[in-house]
Structure formats: structure tokens, C-alpha cells
Amino acid sequence: MTETDLGRGRKLAMYRRMLLCRMFEERVYYMFLEGRLPGTVHQSAGQEASAVGVCSALAEGDVVTSTHRPHSHAIARGLPVNSLMAELFAKTTGCCHGKGGSMHLGDLALGMLPAIAIVGGGIPLATGQALAFQYLRKENIVACFFGDGAANIGTFHEAINMGAIWNLPVIYVCENNRYGASTAVEKVMKVKHVADRAAAYGIPGETIDGNDVEGVYGAMSRAGERARAGAGPTLLELETYRISGHSRSDPGRYRPQDEVAAWRQRDPIESYEKTLIAEGHLRSEDAGQIKASVEEELDEAVKYAEGSPDPAKEECLTDVFA
Amino acid sequence: MMQTIVMPDLGQTTSEGKILRWLKNPGERISKGDHLLEVETDKVTMEVESYLSGYLRQVLAAEGQVVSAMAPIAIVTHTLEEPWEREEQKAGPSIAAHEVPAVPRAAAPSPAGSCVAPAAKILAQALGIDLTLVRGTGPGGLITRRDIEGFTRDRAASKPMAAMAALVTKSMQTIPHFYVSADVDVSAAESWRKKWNASHPELRATLNDVFARAASRALRDIPRLNMSYHDGQYEQKAESDILLVVAFESALVLVPAADPGRQPWEECLRSLHGILERAKLGQAAESTFKFTPLLAVSNLGMFRVKEFSAIIPPSCTAALAVGTARDIPVVRDGEVQLGRVATLTLSADHRVVDGITAANFMEKIQEHLNKL
């Protein structure tokens, strides 16, 4: 664990936020199996520390761009769970009025661009948003989430290079979960770390443990400070792992069982829980209470979503640009 | 309380799934998150978790069954004691009344059962290969399509089979085949054969012999068919040699017979039987290969095959496929009588032969069958 300025309140808030991410997705997954939820689901179980660590270091007005796996990013950014659940249920009360679904969660008013499901598609948009901040002389920054798969897409190079030459206030956050869908990262990338590529653009690059929420928070805070000061982007590589398959229809058999087991041992939520207990910030019974309150919040969200109206026929063409 | 579990919508392009295996048996306790069954979709095989806790009481869809998404596939109750009923059958059957026999875990397809690439699985199924016999060389012992191909190659690596594979492939790729069929009357040939066999018990004539001779003679009458084509060059052949296609132990052997139509019957038969006997022993005499017949004759009559079409061997111009001789009603002089026919199909190289030539050839065969 890295030393940070975090007090007990913020630590517990991060812990609860990670639980909310995990339990939200579990809830969604089972409802999907039951057939209560339409569409597809890309789970991010195991990657909560990177989402929560990064978003906890953001200020009001900052913007997050996300991917096809946006649930945890949206929850970490503080979007109301009710509106996220309603979006998954394709209801009018959803954050995109039910027209985006699982892969397009977001609400620009709350600091999250609706997620971009195209791999690597969010990197130029994040760079553009950062250019807007610079042009408008705002002190805000952009946290641009993408995966290891996107690091080999052309937009990665073009957009990061552009962000670098103009010293744009954007943090390129690569959540390296070791697999682009089913392809192991070493099969498609010759350098050992995505962050090694930062040197090619003349910006700082850092590879850190993405399952250590406070470590992620610390690194993101430092990079954010730099960006707000006008010193330009940082490429942060968060080494993490998705415990589940790529999508709801992926059994993930391409991964060795012992590898999955080893990463399960490094579950970001369980290990943070242990740390908090060891630091005296949390007792086991408190943890149980927090989980119960998260369950309650989710019960409420499901009720809210199921009780919300479906979009009207006349609304088909509103909010749609192409 | 009775609850049903439905088939999840796991497909990428379809809304159904095939149940491969139930991982829990009726009567077993299940918890939310337990792996309940294995489902095969259009893309993957997945273990599906239960979203309910309780006791599995009945499975409503058997292994191997394809089930639409959202269709009920199992019934779960909170306790093992409580009664429950299916909508379809109002009587409450006991736990033992489940429809699918419990599958012992050991009956899983193979140790590598879960590690077979879909393409490999499809190929193995098509070829009827037992996957437990195949060693996987893919990542983590995955059986790949290449493994199945290697397995087949090893199994079928006997030389005659490989030779046949090369031969027919070359032929179908290079020779523009066309086909004509005709029913020929074999009643005259059959009565000749009966008479001959009665007087020559030591040198019996088969229908195969009869067709080889008739084909050779018809070839003499239609020289256009006895012409070869190579690289734009046509060459007329004088001798009416025949290539007999013979099956020995699942491999096809091509046996050249030198002009069986020219010699008298006795010599013809001795010669035909001799070369077939030698071919059977795998000792086709070297000298017999000094000539190249342009007409192949393939006979499946002994297998009750009514008709078929043959692939022309690469060195030939045509192939005659002989079906079984069979009784049919024929009309002669306004009366229905018993007739005996065989269906012949000529495959011919259209670079050399045209339809009329092929038709004339069939006519000639009939003539020669009538006057043996």
C-alpha cells in the first residue's frame, strides 16, 4: 500500500464503492440468466480497484471516458445506481433514457461521457475533451479508460501523440487485464508493459498494481496534479484481471485455471477489506453491515428500474444522432 | 415454493442453446452461483450457473436437447419435502421420477472433453472419430482441427488410399465430366452366360467379364471415344483396351486389360481372370502397364447398386459405371413381359467426347450384349 492522504472516511467510501461495483454486476448477471435483463453484459469483476482508485482522485467537472465494460467506471464516477440499473433495463429513467444499455453507460452532466464500446474508440474522444478543457482554460482533467486490447489500435498512438504534443490534461488509463477478449496480451504486444510506450510520446508512463485501490488513487492523484498544472498527459498502466469471462457468453477457458486462481487470491476488494481491518478502520461486523446496505441499495435500484416506464414509440428518434 | 429455471439467452446469433450436460441431479441441493448445466451455443460451450438456491427437483429438458432462450429447463423448490407440480403433468411425481437418467460424472466424453475446438468437434463428428483417441496438441491439450486431420491421416495412411485420394482429386479438378445413362437389356447376355457356364464350369463367365468385353467391342466401333487428350493434343488409340476398376479391401485398384474384345471368349476369360487374380495378390505384371486404356469399367452390380456415376481416372477419357442387373416389366408387342436390365452410366471427358458420341457408344454396347 502506498502512503496517501486518505482518511478513514474516504477509505471506507472507496471500500463501499468497490463493493457496490461488484455486487451491482453480480445482481445484473443473475438477472440476465433469469431473462429479466435484455441485451449483453461485459462484467468487470476483479477490476474494481482501478475504477474506484482512478475516479476517487477526480474532481467535480472532470470527465471519464469508458469502454464496453463501463459498469464499474460509472459507479465509481458516482452515477446513481438507480439510473444505471434503469439503463440496463432499457427504461426511460436510465442514464441514457434506456437507449444506450450496458455498453453506453454515462452522463456528461455527472462527469462521464457515455461509454464508447468500440475498442480504442474512446481515446481520441478523451483527447478532444482535454483539448476543450485547455481551450476553455479550465482546470479539469480527463480520465481515459481503455484496455490492453486498445493499446494496439491505431487510435491509441494517434490520440496519445496528439495529447502529448499539446500537453493536454488527460490521463490515459490502461486497465491491463491480460486478455483482449480471448487473446493473451503477450501474443499481441512485444513490449512488456503498455506504459513502456509512453517514452515514444515523450510523456511519463507508469505501471502499477491495479488491484491496489490506494496505490491506484495515489498514482492517479500525482498524474492528475501534473495535468492540471499544464504539464500534459500521463500513461498509467493498471495491472489487473477480470475474474469473469469477456462477456456473458464467454466461459474464459483460454485462461489457465491456476492463473485465474492466483488472481482470485489477489481479489482487490477482499485484500482491501483485510487492510482496512488491519489498520483498525473496519471491523468484520461493519463489513457485513456495509454489504447489507449495498444489497439494500441494489434492491431499491432493481425495484426502481422495473417500475420505470418503457420508452414511448414516439421517442424512437430523440437522443439519436446517427 | 416452486420456482423454474429458464434457459438463458447466451447465443450470439441465435436465441437457443443445446443442453450438453446437467451438472446436478434431481434431488441435489443447489446454491445460487453453482454450476448447474453445460450449454452449447452457436459460439461456445458454457457452464451456466444457477440463479436460484434450493433443491433441484426436476429437469425439464434432456441432455442433447436444443432449447429456446427463456424456456423453463428445471424446477427448484426451497425444501426437499415440499410438494410441487409441473404445469404439463398435474400429478406430483416423486423425486425419482425425473426424466433424464442421472449421468455418472465419469461418463464425460474424455479427459480432454471440455478441450475440443468447435471446428475439431464438427469434423470429428462428420468423420465418426472417437475424440478420446485423439491427442490434443493445442494450448493446454486442446484438440484442434489439425489434430483430427492428423489422426485421420495416420489412420488412412495406407498407400492405396492415399493414392486413390490423389487420383480422384486430380481427376475431378482437371477433367470436365459429363454423364449419360441408359438401361440396357441384359436378357440375351444372361442366357448366353447361363449356356456358357453350363458348358465351361471350369471357366465361368461373370457379368463383369461380359461388360468388359462388350465395352471393348463398342469402343472399337466408336473410335472418337478411344482418343486421348493431353495439353491440347489429341491422339487416336488403336487398341480397344479396358481399365478395370476393382475394389480390394476398401482400396481401389486399376487393372488394365489388353483389348478383351479382340480375342475369342475362352482366351478373353482366361486373360481377364488371370490379371484380376494377379492384381488381387498385389502383383500386377509389369508388362501389363505398357499400354494405357482410355476406357475404365467400374461394376457395383454385385452390391445391388442400381446406378452410379464414376470418376474418370486421370489417364482415361471415359468411365463406364455398371449397376446391378434387375428384373423389370417390359412391354413387347403390346404385352407386358418380364425383362432384365442393368443401368449403365458413362462419365466422359467433354474435351474429347460429345453427347452424341456417348449415346452412340451406349447403343453399341447394347448391340454387343445382344450378340455375345
Side-chain angles (χ1 to χ4, degrees):
Chain A
M1 287 282 154
T2 342
E3 282 302 312
T4 57
D5 56 350
L6 292 166
R8 176 169 186 267
R10 293 198 67 187
K11 283 173 188 260
L12 288 180
M14 292 206 300
Y15 168 68
R16 187 181 190 280
R17 199 47 71 89
M18 287 202 288
L19 277 172
L20 188 56
C21 294
R22 173 76 54 92
M23 288 159 75
F24 177 89
E25 289 205 325
E26 278 173 3
R27 192 66 76 98
V28 163
Y29 180 64
Y30 287 119
M31 286 193 298
F32 169 75
L33 285 181
E34 270 182 86
R36 280 163 79 184
L37 265 184
T40 185
V41 183
H42 294 83
Q43 291 167 279
S44 60
Q47 303 181 196
E48 295 89 350
S50 68
V52 172
V54 166
C55 291
S56 298
L58 296 178
E60 208 184 319
D62 292 347
V63 166
V64 165
T65 66
S66 178
T67 66
H68 56 282
R69 204 182 299 288
H71 301 164
S72 293
H73 299 152
I75 293 169
R77 186 64 185 121
L79 270 64
V81 178
N82 281 3
S83 78
L84 299 178
M85 195 64 88
E87 186 60 34
L88 264 57
F89 273 89
K91 301 292 185 144
T92 49
T93 51
C95 57
C96 292
H97 303 171
K99 292 171 186 170
S102 166
M103 288 195 276
H104 303 292
L105 297 181
D107 186 340
L108 201 46
L110 297 174
M112 180 173 176
L113 197 69
I116 299 104
I118 303 298
V119 174
I123 311 177
L125 299 188
T127 305
Q129 176 68 62
L131 177 63
F133 284 152
Q134 187 187 60
Y135 184 78
L136 297 169
R137 297 176 195 282
K138 290 196 172 180
E139 270 203 13
N140 289 112
I141 60 170
V142 183
C144 170
F145 284 108
F146 55 91
D148 45 285
N152 299 310
I153 299 279
T155 54
F156 169 89
H157 166 75
E158 298 179 34
I160 296 183
N161 186 56
M162 200 170 271
I165 55 171
W166 291 338
N167 286 322
L168 297 181
V170 50
I171 316 303
Y172 298 106
V173 181
C174 178
E175 291 178 296
N176 183 348
N177 66 14
R178 306 251 318 104
Y179 290 87
S182 57
T183 307
V185 65
E186 57 268 13
K187 284 193 179 166
V188 291
M189 200 174 77
K190 193 93 178 191
V191 292
K192 198 157 178 219
H193 296 294
V194 173
D196 293 348
R197 294 185 171 166
Y201 312 114
I203 60 171
E206 197 179 350
T207 302
I208 58 169
D209 178 2
N211 280 15
D212 168 7
V213 68
E214 290 193 11
V216 172
Y217 172 81
M220 183 63 192
S221 300
R222 289 192 300 276
E225 227 168 273
R226 206 178 156 270
R228 285 182 219 278
T234 300
L235 176 55
L236 274 190
E237 178 184 16
L238 311 180
E239 290 187 313
T240 184
Y241 203 74
R242 66 173 144 73
I243 296 169
S244 54
H246 167 70
S247 69
R248 53 77 166 109
S249 52
D250 170 23
R253 292 234 176 82
Y254 42 84
R255 309 188 295 192
Q257 283 310 303
D258 46 346
E259 180 185 294
V260 179
W263 278 95
R264 272 184 192 278
Q265 289 297 311
R266 299 184 48 201
D267 186 305
I269 301 178
E270 281 170 24
S271 50
Y272 195 47
E273 188 176 297
K274 277 184 204 141
T275 305
L276 291 179
I277 289 172
E279 288 177 350
H281 293 311
L282 185 75
R283 294 172 304 167
S284 325
E285 55 264 40
D286 298 336
Q289 263 181 13
I290 294 174
K291 282 170 197 166
S293 81
V294 170
E295 288 287 8
E296 248 174 67
E297 190 176 344
L298 291 169
D299 285 342
E300 175 55 39
V302 172
K303 216 155 79 188
Y304 173 81
E306 288 193 314
S308 292
D310 292 323
K313 242 190 343 220
E314 301 74 52
E315 295 290 307
C316 266
L317 296 177
T318 58
D319 309 316
V320 178
F321 300 96
Chain B
M1 198 178 83
M2 181 195 113
Q3 287 174 289
T4 50
I5 287 184
V6 297
M7 169 66 85
D9 189 2
L10 299 167
Q12 297 281 330
T13 56
T14 60
S15 271
E16 57 185 27
K18 181 179 173 184
I19 296 180
L20 289 186
R21 206 148 61 101
W22 281 96
L23 303 170
K24 298 279 181 187
N25 291 313
E28 259 187 86
R29 181 164 167 66
I30 53 172
S31 303
K32 188 170 171 176
D34 280 356
H35 287 167
L36 187 59
L37 71 159
E38 243 177 49
V39 174
E40 183 185 83
T41 70
D42 51 341
K43 197 171 176 186
V44 286
T45 299
M46 287 202 68
E47 282 177 353
V48 173
E49 293 134 326
S50 173
Y51 53 84
L52 297 175
S53 293
Y55 289 89
L56 179 65
R57 300 298 290 270
Q58 182 174 8
V59 296
L60 305 176
E63 295 178 349
Q65 211 171 315
V66 176
V67 183
S68 305
M70 297 305 116
I73 53 172
I75 288 174
V76 173
T77 57
H78 279 182
T79 63
L80 199 49
E81 288 74 37
E82 64 189 285
W84 56 278
E85 51 183 40
R86 269 183 69 174
E87 275 179 23
E88 297 93 314
Q89 52 187 92
K90 287 293 176 191
S94 70
I95 301 154
H98 61 84
E99 291 174 339
V100 178
V103 178
R105 294 289 176 270
S110 77
S114 56
C115 278
V116 184
K121 195 183 274 180
I122 291 166
L123 184 63
Q125 231 158 35
L127 299 173
I129 288 173
D130 179 359
L131 282 167
T132 54
L133 304 175
V134 183
R135 201 175 68 86
T137 61
L142 179 83
I143 297 177
T144 64
R145 201 185 154 94
R146 190 179 295 177
D147 293 330
I148 303 291
E149 286 164 355
F151 182 81
T152 350
R153 218 168 21 241
D154 295 346
R155 200 176 59 169
S158 66
K159 271 190 189 143
M161 267 186 82
M164 179 180 75
L167 219 67
V168 294
T169 306
K170 183 180 174 202
S171 175
M172 280 313 259
Q173 283 172 350
T174 56
I175 302 177
H177 286 59
F178 77 99
Y179 310 91
V180 293
S181 291
D183 282 346
V184 292
D185 184 347
V186 294
S187 41
E190 289 275 51
S191 47
W192 172 87
R193 199 163 70 92
K194 223 170 259 168
K195 256 189 264 165
W196 173 273
N197 287 349
S199 55
H200 301 80
E202 82 298 343
L203 190 63
R204 296 169 60 85
T206 65
L207 260 185
N208 198 44
D209 301 327
V210 169
F211 279 113
R213 185 168 165 101
S216 168
R217 294 198 146 185
L219 196 57
R220 186 178 307 285
D221 298 333
I222 313 286
R224 176 74 183 276
L225 198 74
N226 208 9
M227 198 183 267
S228 67
Y229 174 87
H230 280 295
D231 301 326
Q233 300 293 313
Y234 292 90
E235 201 179 319
Q236 182 65 53
K237 186 175 165 67
E239 304 79 18
S240 304
D241 303 330
I242 298 291
L243 190 66
L244 296 169
V245 183
V246 193
F248 293 135
E249 291 170 357
S250 85
L252 286 183
V253 181
L254 303 177
V255 185
D259 212 338
R262 193 190 36 164
Q263 306 145 312
W265 260 117
E266 200 161 326
E267 257 178 75
C268 167
L269 286 178
R270 278 191 211 290
S271 154
L272 281 175
H273 296 177
I275 55 168
L276 286 176
E277 200 54 44
R278 282 198 299 279
K280 207 181 230 167
L281 297 171
Q283 18 170 277
E286 286 300 315
S287 61
T288 58
F289 286 103
K290 292 205 171 125
F291 59 93
T292 15
L294 297 181
L295 175 68
V297 175
S298 181
N299 186 354
L300 286 178
M302 52 296 241
F303 299 111
R304 306 178 57 84
V305 169
K306 190 177 155 221
E307 60 182 286
F308 69 106
S309 55
I311 295 173
I312 305 168
S315 60
C316 292
T317 296
L320 185 68
V322 181
T324 194
R326 60 194 197 280
D327 292 326
I328 56 158
V330 292
V331 181
R332 279 194 201 104
D333 308 325
E335 270 184 58
V336 178
Q337 294 180 355
L338 193 61
R340 194 158 173 82
V341 299
T343 305
L344 306 186
T345 304
L346 184 76
S347 315
D349 183 344
H350 216 313
R351 296 171 301 184
V352 183
V353 183
D354 57 23
I356 292 171
T357 309
N360 288 341
F361 175 76
M362 298 301 249
E363 284 289 321
K364 285 292 171 190
I365 289 196
Q366 180 68 76
E367 276 179 30
H368 289 291
L369 285 173
N370 289 347
K371 46 168 186 162
L372 291 165

